[in-house]
Amino acid sequence: GEALDAQRLLYTSEGKPRISIISIAHLTDAERMFIVTLVLNELVAWMRRQRGTSSLRALFYMDEIFGYFPPIANPPAKQPMLTLLKQARAFGLGCVLATQNPVDLDYRGLGNAGTWLIGRLQTERDKVRLIEGLTSAADGEALDRGAMERLMSALAPRTFLMRRAKEDTPHLFKSRWTLSYLRGPLTSADISRLMTPQRAAALTAPAVVAAGGAAG
């Protein structure tokens, strides 16, 4: 399989950006935590080898982060995740985290997030915790808690509330309709079948030799 090397996962050998998807759906809970922690630590190590920049160099997206960044417990994945949230932007690495369980996240860490996209919430507890996180992210700026709570309570389907750092006014927007068959998660056999053409192309691609190196 592909080596767990952040540079190879984010860029091709020619230096072009690429998309790499790591699926852990077929693993046990302990194995998932192990893999996520390895990936996060690899991203932290890659980040620290980069020069500082104000431009976006790469993007790390993780769906369903429930259990990996809890408010009280301290699983292995939590510390590298917190490091990325605090430091990654200075090196051009953006982080996008998604969850359906906002009450189960460490909002002290998410206070480092500059942009929040909030959909419909099912419980008052979720709303309270989101207000806490937004207040932390405001970093001393005025936040109208009452207005934010009213906006969150009135969100319609497919409508999101966007709150950005250094902007006083939140924004409402709707997602576009897209064609999706909602087939559900892929199995390991599905992933293997979809990756077969990519593996074949990689095997037939010409080898790239670094300058000064020698091919054996």
Side-chain angles (χ1 to χ4, degrees), residues 1-6 8-9 42:
E2 188 73 24
L4 184 56
D5 181 289
R8 292 180 59 180
L9 293 174
E42 172 62 23

Side-chain angles (χ1 to χ4, degrees), residues 81-156:
M81 181 82 76
L82 184 59
T83 300
L84 289 174
L85 288 171
K86 287 185 174 181
Q87 302 177 15
R89 68 171 65 90
F91 299 92
L93 176 60
C95 297
V96 180
L97 308 179
T99 183
Q100 298 181 37
N101 304 90
V103 73
D104 296 312
L105 303 182
D106 189 332
Y107 278 89
R108 293 170 298 177
L110 290 183
N112 292 279
T115 302
W116 294 61
L117 304 177
I118 304 167
R120 297 182 71 185
L121 301 172
Q122 302 299 321
T123 68
E124 289 298 322
R125 188 183 176 197
D126 282 338
K127 295 175 186 176
V128 170
R129 292 300 300 275
L130 272 172
I131 290 292
E132 293 175 359
L134 288 168
T135 302
S136 176
D139 194 23
E141 299 178 13
L143 179 67
D144 190 334
R145 297 173 65 99
M148 291 295 296
E149 186 173 353
R150 288 191 295 273
L151 283 172
M152 286 190 288
S153 299
L155 288 176

